[in-house]
Amino acid sequence: MYRLAIKFKNARLEALAFQAIKSSLSESNILDEAFSRFTAQYPDIRKMELELLLKFRSASEVSNRLEKVLESVSRGERPYALAMLHAFLASLTRQEAGGTQ
């Protein structure tokens, strides 16, 4: 739906689809979604999913799988996810420098 809204430049449908995507994200699926081909194509989706990934990163469902996902990106198995990896690491670095979580 989001792709269709973008293709037809339908702002209302885009907003509705964006909210539907956001509401469907959870600790159990954020890694798969954040590092997906779909997310790599849409900067607004990537930004929103990055915020949720940072929020959920301490949850056991995320922290237990995070290393494997990051390794797969580093090995080139998910080349489309490099921008998310960079954004994630940059956000963590900024948070550490600022003393926030």
Side-chain angles (χ1 to χ4, degrees):
M1 189 68 66
Y2 190 81
R3 283 185 185 135
L4 197 59
I6 297 290
K7 182 177 180 175
F8 291 111
K9 297 180 171 98
N10 185 323
R12 183 172 179 271
L13 183 58
E14 180 182 339
L16 290 171
F18 182 93
Q19 285 304 324
I21 291 167
K22 186 174 182 178
S23 69
S24 73
L25 295 170
S26 66
E27 295 166 352
S28 63
N29 67 4
I30 190 62
L31 283 172
D32 294 327
E33 298 301 328
F35 291 94
S36 71
R37 286 184 197 279
F38 175 82
T39 298
Q41 296 174 13
Y42 303 102
D44 290 340
I45 297 291
R46 186 170 56 239
K47 182 180 178 201
M48 175 267 294
E49 290 186 6
L50 174 61
E51 290 171 5
L52 291 175
L53 177 59
L54 291 166
K55 177 181 174 183
F56 296 151
R57 76 178 188 268
S58 297
S60 62
E61 289 182 71
V62 176
S63 61
N64 291 341
R65 292 185 52 230
L66 184 58
E67 184 177 349
K68 288 188 186 317
V69 171
L70 297 180
E71 284 176 2
S72 72
V73 175
S74 298
R75 284 192 305 264
E77 296 168 6
R78 300 179 190 206
Y80 47 84
L82 285 173
M84 178 59 85
L85 175 60
H86 180 266
F88 179 66
L89 294 175
S91 294
L92 291 177
T93 302
R94 280 194 300 276
Q95 287 178 354
E96 287 295 318
T100 62
Q101 195 175 19

